[in-house]
Amino acid sequence: QSEPGADAPPIQSKRERLRFTDFRFRRASDGRCSAEVELEWIEGQKVRGTASGQSSPTVDLRGAAEAGLRAIESFSDGGLAFELIGVKSVRLFDANVVIVSIANRHDGPQKLLGSCLVEDDPVRGAVVAVLNATNRVVGNVVATR
């Protein structure tokens, strides 16, 4: 005898928030850079966002942040729309901090601010700062699914 529900398909585990599963950043020999961010909400269902541009310290941060925003927008199936106002790496209190300013264009003009304390990788920190800035807005989308 098998246990009740043994033949049922496995239940997909939903999270209360998106999980940052992968980040890839490349600088090409022609001076361009590309960033790819991967997020997951339900086990095995991943969304990606990408961005590219001419590589420089500022553009590298901006590209990573843009890729993060595109991944979030992809997750929301058009329910969210963001504009990156700015991204900056600053030295504060003997630490490096990446700060992003984002406009939420979906529900009227709403500005969001996020930050990330970084030690080694400010480019990846730009993605984490985006996730921190958008956490509450994305949480509302997750709650309705």
Side-chain angles (χ1 to χ4, degrees), residues 25 27-34 52-60 63:
F25 184 80
R27 285 184 192 93
S29 59
D30 66 356
R32 294 189 55 77
C33 65
S34 64
S52 62
Q54 200 63 35
S55 183
S56 75
T58 302
V59 175
D60 293 355

Side-chain angles (χ1 to χ4, degrees), residues 12-110:
Q12 292 183 327
S13 168
K14 292 183 181 180
R15 293 181 173 79
E16 292 182 20
R17 55 195 290 174
L18 291 175
R19 189 175 89 172
F20 181 18
T21 54
D22 195 17
F23 174 66
R24 292 186 196 109
F25 184 80
R26 294 175 198 81
R27 285 184 192 93
S29 59
D30 66 356
R32 294 189 55 77
C33 65
S34 64
E36 180 178 348
V37 172
E38 181 182 88
L39 305 173
E40 181 180 71
W41 178 50
I42 296 174
E43 190 73 32
Q45 293 184 1
K46 299 177 182 189
V47 294
R48 289 179 181 80
T50 61
S52 62
Q54 200 63 35
S55 183
S56 75
T58 302
V59 175
D60 293 355
L61 293 174
R62 189 166 189 85
E66 288 281 358
L69 290 174
R70 300 302 77 87
I72 293 167
E73 289 172 346
S74 177
F75 163 74
S76 75
D77 293 326
L80 295 172
F82 298 106
E83 177 185 346
L84 181 63
I85 296 170
V87 58
K88 188 161 183 91
S89 179
V90 295
R91 184 98 178 137
L92 294 171
F93 310 114
D94 295 327
N96 294 317
V97 179
V98 175
I99 302 169
V100 296
S101 177
I102 300 166
N104 179 359
R105 296 180 292 158
H106 181 68
D107 294 326
Q110 176 188 20

